[in-house]
Amino acid sequence: MVVVPGMTVAGSTREKFAKITVLNMNEVIIKKHTTEVAIIQINRPECKNALNMAVRERLATCFSLLSDDDQVRAIVVTGNQEAFAAGADLVDLAQRSALDMMLRKTHLMWQAIADCHKPVIAAVAGYAFGGGCELAMHADIIIAGENASFSQPEIKVGIMPGAGGTQRLLRAVGKYNAMRLLLTGDAISAGEAREMGLVSMVVPDEQVLDRALAMARRIASMPPLAVAQIKEVVLAGQDASLDQALALERKAFQLLFATNDQKEGMQAFIEKRIPAYQGN
């Protein structure tokens, strides 16, 4: 169980989570689906899960805690059926000055998510707009419902994305798709996002969370050190030269031969049995 100071135990919010331990942080909830799989749910249905400062702070806390939890092997971040997260809370931002925005240091909160060592799956139903789209792009895998939609609409209110929306979108979909979305603020469907490379897979809306959890359980059953090395090398290598990235891959590959999980995995394959990975 994840223990967070000031958190109170609450009941499950949905029938499918009836057996999950729930730790309530008001607008952000951590749920243990299994010992190895955790769920982070944004819970502001009255404003389509808009990301105010409290939500950003709590998301950072949740990701930091779960990243350091040795039992957790995969994380699913989600919202509800209407919205994953519909962007920033504009009521909070409308009268802010440039100095206000600088002093908020929200980049440190986003960095806590980016620095999470565990694989993160975004289960996206409904709106993933603005900061919600940026949050989804912080994940390693995005599973979207058929009626999900994605947008970086900041230009429509006189600003631009400020939590990685230009750079992560560029790297996900390329310059020409990114510029179209950023300069028009248009929303795209889950299907179009999949075609662009922004989304990993599209499933029926009612299956989004179940499919994300199934994938998280599958990843959690894999050798944790190999999972961690794959995530580290992919992220570190994406902006490196090919030669540098291949060197990172090669060293990580070699390092994994020093693990008990490598011995267990190969021996289990030879013996035609299910491996029992311990993460060492």
Side-chain angles (χ1 to χ4, degrees):
M1 177 182 294
V2 178
V3 179
V4 182
M7 293 173 66
T8 57
V9 177
S12 177
T13 57
R14 295 168 62 176
E15 184 177 349
K16 68 173 60 179
F17 297 138
K19 296 182 179 180
I20 299 173
T21 300
V22 178
L23 298 175
N24 189 358
M25 291 179 75
N26 299 321
E27 295 172 330
V28 177
I29 302 169
I30 297 180
K31 309 174 184 182
K32 275 299 189 72
H33 173 64
T34 67
T35 302
E36 293 86 14
V37 176
I39 303 168
I40 300 175
Q41 182 184 17
I42 304 170
N43 185 41
R44 297 187 76 205
E46 72 283 357
C47 55
K48 296 182 174 61
N49 292 333
L51 304 176
N52 61 9
M53 280 295 289
V55 169
R56 288 188 180 94
E57 290 170 352
R58 288 164 183 164
L59 283 171
T61 298
C62 289
F63 275 98
S64 294
L65 287 166
L66 294 176
S67 185
D68 292 338
D69 187 331
D70 291 337
Q71 287 188 321
V72 173
R73 296 186 180 183
I75 300 167
V76 173
V77 59
T78 192
N80 55 38
Q81 285 297 312
E82 183 180 11
F84 176 72
D89 191 335
L90 294 185
V91 174
D92 176 54
L93 294 181
Q95 301 304 318
R96 295 286 180 180
S97 69
L99 183 59
D100 288 336
M101 298 306 293
M102 184 175 69
L103 293 176
R104 286 156 69 99
K105 298 181 180 179
T106 56
H107 65 285
L108 298 178
M109 301 170 200
W110 288 103
Q111 194 61 42
I113 302 173
D115 288 343
C116 181
H117 303 305
K118 308 300 170 64
V120 178
I121 301 172
V124 179
Y127 302 110
F129 284 10
C133 188
E134 290 171 313
L135 175 59
M137 288 191 289
H138 275 71
D140 302 301
I141 297 168
I142 301 176
I143 297 179
E146 291 171 336
N147 291 308
S149 55
F150 298 80
S151 175
Q152 295 290 166
E154 289 86 351
I155 195 167
K156 294 182 177 181
V157 294
I159 58 172
M160 62 176 282
T166 61
Q167 301 310 304
R168 285 191 169 85
L169 190 62
L170 172 65
R171 285 158 174 75
V173 306
K175 172 187 172 181
Y176 301 106
N177 284 321
M179 291 293 272
R180 174 169 71 87
L181 297 178
L182 293 165
L183 295 177
T184 65
D186 287 347
I188 57 172
S189 67
E192 190 172 359
R194 176 71 180 87
E195 291 175 1
M196 287 184 183
L198 179 59
V199 166
S200 307
M201 59 191 299
V202 179
V203 302
D205 291 336
E206 65 276 9
Q207 296 180 20
V208 171
L209 189 56
D210 287 338
R211 295 287 287 274
L213 289 171
M215 185 173 291
R217 291 194 301 271
R218 184 177 178 188
I219 292 170
S221 72
M222 300 295 178
L225 295 176
V227 169
Q229 286 298 297
I230 288 170
K231 176 167 180 171
E232 182 177 339
V233 168
V234 168
L235 295 182
Q238 64 182 344
D239 295 321
S241 70
L242 179 58
D243 284 346
Q244 290 173 325
L246 288 172
L248 290 172
E249 178 188 85
R250 184 167 58 252
K251 292 302 182 183
F253 169 76
Q254 294 164 353
L255 178 64
L256 289 172
F257 279 79
T259 68
N260 291 327
D261 280 351
Q262 174 266 326
K263 304 298 185 292
E264 167 65 11
M266 292 189 177
Q267 192 61 38
F269 179 85
I270 293 169
E271 296 173 0
K272 296 181 172 56
R273 60 176 174 81
I274 297 174
Y277 295 118
Q278 301 299 316
N280 57 36

